[in-house]
Amino acid sequence: QRVICGTIDGALASASKGQLQSFYWLPSVANFPGIDAVLVYDHDVYVLQATLAQKHRSPKDGLLKVWANYDKVLRGCRDWHVVIVTDSNQPENLPDYVQTTARQLQGVKGGPSTLQVWSCGLAL
């Protein structure tokens, strides 16, 4: 319904307070740690990482920053997901990266208690 650009403590914090049921947030800082955007749709929060690189930065720090700045009342009522999007021609190490990321993120202190990690490859 709405695309929001801005800082995590400004744009994301205000959008997550329940005023918008669905939105897409793009951080205004290009080097946000390990994530590229956040999509909120109904009761789901999708933390997105898009990459074409051989090496990937873990989305852990970015996820924790989003969690910490998301409305404290609503964040526990949402289903949280990390979605890793890559070129479908990526090397076969993507499944290993997704499994490693899922292990690193499950039960991480200061973040969601349950989290799904997904990946998809898009033909460019």
Side-chain angles (χ1 to χ4, degrees):
Q1 291 178 349
R2 188 163 180 195
V3 175
I4 300 167
C5 297
T7 62
I8 192 164
D9 56 349
L12 180 65
S14 64
S16 71
K17 292 195 183 311
Q19 299 163 351
L20 299 174
Q21 187 71 7
S22 301
F23 62 89
Y24 184 74
W25 172 68
L26 291 167
S28 58
V29 178
N31 62 351
F32 198 81
I35 67 168
D36 297 301
V38 174
L39 172 65
V40 176
Y41 185 77
D42 283 336
H43 292 95
D44 293 290
V45 177
Y46 301 93
V47 177
L48 307 172
Q49 179 187 67
T51 184
L52 297 175
Q54 293 285 337
K55 292 191 175 193
H56 313 278
R57 182 172 181 183
S58 172
K60 178 182 174 183
D61 292 339
L63 172 68
L64 292 175
K65 282 183 84 170
V66 170
W67 177 264
N69 286 278
Y70 205 90
D71 183 85
K72 290 174 180 30
V73 174
L74 295 176
R75 68 184 180 195
C77 303
R78 303 287 189 246
D79 294 323
W80 287 74
H81 315 270
V82 170
V83 182
I84 301 162
V85 182
T86 188
D87 177 1
S88 61
N89 295 323
Q90 275 286 70
E92 290 72 35
N93 66 350
L94 182 62
D96 291 337
Y97 172 67
V98 171
Q99 289 178 357
T100 300
T101 301
R103 280 193 303 273
Q104 290 173 347
L105 296 177
Q106 291 300 331
V108 66
K109 287 188 175 191
S113 58
T114 59
L115 178 72
Q116 293 183 1
V117 179
W118 301 341
S119 67
C120 69
L122 301 176
L124 297 179

